[in-house]
Amino acid sequence: MGEIDLGLVNWSRAQFALTAMYHWLFVPLTLGLSFLCAFFETIYVRTGKEEWKHLTKFWMTLFGINFAIGIATGIILEFQFGTNWSNYSWMVGDIFGAPLAIEGIVAFFLEATFFAVMFFGWNRVSKGFHLFSTWMVAVGSNLSALWILVANGWMQHPVGMQFNPETVRFEMQNFWEVLFSPVAVAKFTHTTSASFIVGSLFVITVSSWYLLKGRHLLMAKRSILVASVFGLLSFFYVSLTGDESAYSNAWTQPMKLAAYEGLYDGERPADIVALGILNPAKRPGDDRQPFLFEIKIPYLLSVLANRSVDSFVPGINDLLYGNEAEGLVGIDKKIERGRIAVADLAAYKEAKAADDTAAAAAALARFEQNSEFLGHGYLEKPEDAVPPVQTSFYSFHIMVFLALFFGFICAAYLYYTMKDTIEQKRWLLPFGISSFFVALTASQAGWVTAEVGRQPWAIQDMLPVGMATSNLATGNVIATFWIFAALFTLLLLAEIKIMLSQIKKGPEGAK
């Protein structure tokens, strides 16, 4: 096993995380606001009232600004798979590349085709065709998310493929198994429903500012009415999809579940930590208490993980060192078998190169006995399989608690808008103005939970991040990290400036 340049690995991870987090500032708003624009225009077409047309064009303009900058960051993100993660791309490109190619050919083509009609087709095409175009942009945007999340879901739970020792690559065997993987479905439904909330709260934030300023009151209240209904429905749906996502983690990524619950020793039944402060000195295998402070809800983790009140939920120590009573094989045993697989794969390649058929067949037979543990053979010690527990725990709980705030905001805004007293609730409007920024925080926390909780794996249990990087000079990655940081910051500041200018200007012809 060759030496791994940890500096290169960590800077490559940092650069990818930087790009992904900047990109994810724009994507949720695109996904949510696209549907809201379609709702607004549908109301305009059905009622024929010009006020709804002005309203639609205003939100559509803000959508377009965000959409354009989101594309710029997304393109850079996809190119990094080839520049910084070429080993990863080589080993899993047959599988990972397929949904990304479909996203580019089908979903993005669908968006691009109807995007021009949506923005420039007013008074040039019929109302019906323009409305159809707006809906197609919304559908296309979310289809783009589908294929990207299918690819990400496969990284979390690799299915529908087989390892080819001849090429040392993972090759697709069943596309439909990849597409309809329960993890991919859970990621898509949870991510998009969370993005619908982000879009709804963006509309509520801007409209609340108008109400506080006493401007465009009718437009603001109409926007709030649609957005609060959409946001509240999305809140209930995101709760269901979040539960399903956690359930899929329990049986596909139990270490991630244990990390974001701060569970070191398995429990039967297992309580869920509603609120807690982790002990920063706690390490796997020691006898320190994991929490300095905690409030638990009895039995709920067992229900969440296994749909059973008295079921066993393994902790970090059970997964690392094994639990014979519960039938769990420890990471230490998997590392042993993984190293055997690595050695047998090397022996197979050497025998093939020497044209020694008998030795090659024997090495291949031995390899196949341990091939499922191949990825573990590149870990140095069992503890390397533990993700950053504090980051996972706090990001998960931030996401959950902020989601409760979103439910309150949408319900309160809907109630007072229906009573036509929303502009009088001066105590509520500041919460509404802040809600979009809180939603972005929760959205980022969700991605941190999903991606940090998967560490140290690029492909769960199969390819560690350290083996996935390109052979680059660390200095080059550091330089491009800061170049991207500056570029993305300028793009973000440009979007904020353009957005604020458009918001201050307000919708043309609106009351």
Side-chain angles (χ1 to χ4, degrees):
M1 209 184 312
E3 288 292 323
I4 296 175
D5 184 347
L6 291 179
L8 172 63
V9 173
N10 289 332
W11 275 103
S12 296
R13 291 166 74 182
Q15 187 183 103
F16 194 84
L18 171 80
T19 310
M21 294 186 79
Y22 264 96
H23 181 55
W24 200 247
L25 289 173
F26 310 112
V27 172
L29 181 56
T30 293
L31 300 182
L33 197 54
S34 64
F35 271 112
L36 282 163
C37 288
F39 295 149
F40 293 140
E41 186 171 353
T42 300
I43 297 172
Y44 159 63
V45 171
R46 291 182 63 87
T47 63
K49 294 181 178 180
E50 287 295 309
E51 294 90 342
W52 284 102
K53 180 180 180 180
H54 297 310
L55 183 155
T56 302
K57 293 178 75 173
F58 171 71
W59 295 114
M60 205 173 275
T61 300
L62 298 181
F63 165 78
I65 297 166
N66 185 77
F67 182 85
I69 298 183
I71 288 176
T73 54
I75 291 172
I76 294 173
L77 185 65
E78 290 196 13
F79 271 115
Q80 285 185 17
F81 287 111
T83 57
N84 290 29
W85 305 96
S86 58
N87 287 341
Y88 168 90
S89 298
W90 163 257
M91 293 190 71
V92 303
D94 287 353
I95 309 164
F96 188 80
L100 294 186
I102 295 172
E103 186 264 337
I105 295 170
V106 179
F108 188 70
F109 178 77
L110 185 67
E111 293 175 77
T113 300
F114 292 103
F115 190 85
V117 178
M118 186 178 81
F119 274 91
F120 306 111
W122 294 102
N123 304 321
R124 291 183 174 88
V125 298
S126 67
K127 285 184 179 180
F129 186 73
H130 192 278
L131 176 61
F132 176 75
S133 300
T134 302
W135 275 103
M136 286 300 98
V137 169
V139 171
S141 299
N142 284 266
L143 278 179
S144 291
L146 168 65
W147 297 111
I148 292 168
L149 292 167
V150 164
N152 185 269
W154 183 83
M155 295 170 67
Q156 311 280 347
H157 179 53
V159 293
M161 55 79 200
Q162 187 174 355
F163 181 75
N164 186 342
E166 294 283 347
T167 59
V168 195
R169 302 180 74 188
F170 295 96
E171 298 175 352
M172 186 180 295
Q173 300 294 308
N174 190 328
F175 173 77
W176 302 109
E177 192 174 351
V178 174
L179 176 59
F180 293 110
S181 161
V183 174
V185 172
K187 286 193 72 64
F188 173 68
T189 54
H190 186 59
T191 302
T192 52
S193 55
S195 298
F196 297 160
I197 294 177
V198 173
S200 298
L201 293 178
F202 175 76
V203 172
I204 287 175
T205 289
V206 175
S207 300
S208 297
W209 184 78
Y210 283 137
L211 293 179
L212 277 175
K213 293 292 183 179
R215 298 174 55 196
H216 308 303
L217 299 184
L218 181 60
M219 183 279 289
K221 288 189 283 188
R222 284 177 170 174
S223 299
I224 287 172
L225 181 61
V226 176
S228 58
V229 171
F230 187 46
L232 191 59
L233 292 175
S234 300
F235 167 75
F236 291 122
Y237 189 49
V238 82
S239 301
L240 294 174
T241 58
D243 173 74
E244 186 62 28
S245 184
Y247 174 63
S248 68
N249 287 160
W251 59 275
T252 60
Q253 297 173 293
M255 186 67 80
K256 177 190 285 189
L257 179 69
Y260 66 59
E261 281 302 323
L263 182 67
Y264 280 86
D265 296 307
E267 298 177 355
R268 182 196 301 274
D271 305 334
I272 201 167
V273 178
L275 186 65
I277 299 176
L278 289 170
N279 181 355
K282 175 66 178 174
R283 296 293 181 271
D286 67 22
D287 57 358
R288 297 185 180 93
Q289 291 298 313
F291 288 92
L292 301 177
F293 164 79
E294 60 184 323
I295 298 175
K296 290 185 173 183
I297 302 175
Y299 311 115
L300 192 55
L301 186 56
S302 287
V303 174
L304 182 75
N306 302 310
R307 304 297 192 248
S308 174
V309 173
D310 60 350
S311 63
F312 178 78
V313 179
I316 292 171
N317 292 330
D318 303 280
L319 297 167
L320 281 184
Y321 310 117
N323 186 323
E324 189 174 346
E326 298 295 338
L328 294 173
V329 177
I331 297 292
D332 50 351
K333 303 298 183 186
K334 294 180 180 180
I335 289 176
E336 290 177 13
R337 297 186 64 179
R339 289 176 178 172
I340 294 172
V342 171
D344 287 334
L345 180 60
Y348 170 73
K349 299 296 288 183
E350 290 175 5
K352 287 283 288 185
D355 204 22
D356 188 341
T357 306
L364 181 60
R366 294 193 305 270
F367 168 75
E368 289 176 347
Q369 294 176 4
N370 299 289
S371 60
E372 64 179 293
F373 303 106
L374 178 64
H376 289 85
Y378 296 100
L379 300 181
E380 294 293 332
K381 57 186 183 299
E383 291 75 17
D384 290 343
V386 182
V389 176
Q390 295 210 33
T391 303
S392 301
F393 175 85
Y394 289 120
S395 61
F396 174 75
H397 285 78
I398 286 170
M399 175 187 67
V400 172
F401 274 103
L402 293 183
L404 299 176
F405 169 72
F406 305 149
F408 160 75
I409 287 293
C410 291
Y413 266 74
L414 178 59
Y415 175 76
Y416 289 119
T417 302
M418 293 289 289
K419 293 187 68 175
D420 200 24
T421 58
I422 184 65
E423 69 271 28
Q424 301 170 18
K425 306 303 174 183
R426 312 298 283 187
W427 61 271
L428 180 61
L429 295 178
F431 287 104
I433 288 177
S434 67
S435 63
F436 171 64
F437 307 101
V438 177
L440 285 180
T441 301
S443 184
Q444 293 282 339
W447 270 108
V448 170
T449 301
E451 300 308 302
V452 172
R454 174 166 51 87
Q455 299 303 311
W457 302 105
I459 305 296
Q460 182 67 40
D461 295 332
M462 293 191 172
L463 181 65
V465 171
M467 300 298 296
T469 56
S470 300
N471 185 20
L472 297 171
T474 306
N476 292 340
V477 181
I478 295 173
T480 51
F481 172 90
W482 291 112
I483 290 172
F484 286 148
L487 175 63
F488 295 151
T489 301
L490 288 174
L491 284 173
L492 178 61
L493 292 175
E495 169 163 9
I496 292 172
K497 182 178 180 180
I498 298 169
M499 283 275 202
L500 290 177
S501 175
Q502 190 64 38
I503 291 168
K504 288 178 181 178
K505 180 181 177 182
E508 294 181 7
K511 298 178 180 180

